[in-house]
Amino acid sequence: MNREVTLPLIVDDRGTLQVSAADVSKLLRSLGGRWLHLVEAGAEGLDEDTVAALTIELAKLADRIDVACIAHSSGTAP
């Protein structure tokens, strides 16, 4: 399943981002990392392949957020 997700940038009337992209990207990447750590520690109920796939998708999403915010702050469209 490959679905596109559109991420709105939340900006004020001056164009300033209201959510730190670095914080959101870090959260997404750390969530995936935590899941992987749980799998490696032998946590029950977690499928290794599913966790790996979700972690990859979270990293891709974090990358897209980074790119969109870089484009926003540089004044170019993503």
Side-chain angles (χ1 to χ4, degrees):
M1 176 181 342
N2 191 8
R3 295 185 183 175
E4 280 294 312
V5 175
T6 301
L7 300 171
L9 297 179
I10 302 169
V11 296
D12 62 18
D13 58 347
R14 296 178 306 245
T16 304
L17 289 171
Q18 296 300 300
V19 178
S20 167
D23 289 343
V24 174
S25 295
K26 182 179 177 181
L27 173 67
L28 293 171
R29 289 186 176 98
S30 64
L31 180 59
R34 177 69 178 141
W35 286 343
L36 288 174
H37 176 73
L38 290 171
V39 167
E40 290 168 357
E44 290 186 35
L46 295 176
D47 177 70
E48 185 175 353
D49 291 337
T50 301
V51 168
L54 288 171
T55 300
I56 290 167
E57 293 305 315
L58 286 175
K60 287 180 185 178
L61 182 56
D63 290 345
R64 288 182 58 212
I65 291 170
D66 291 344
V67 168
C69 289
I70 289 167
H72 171 77
S73 49
S74 69
T76 61

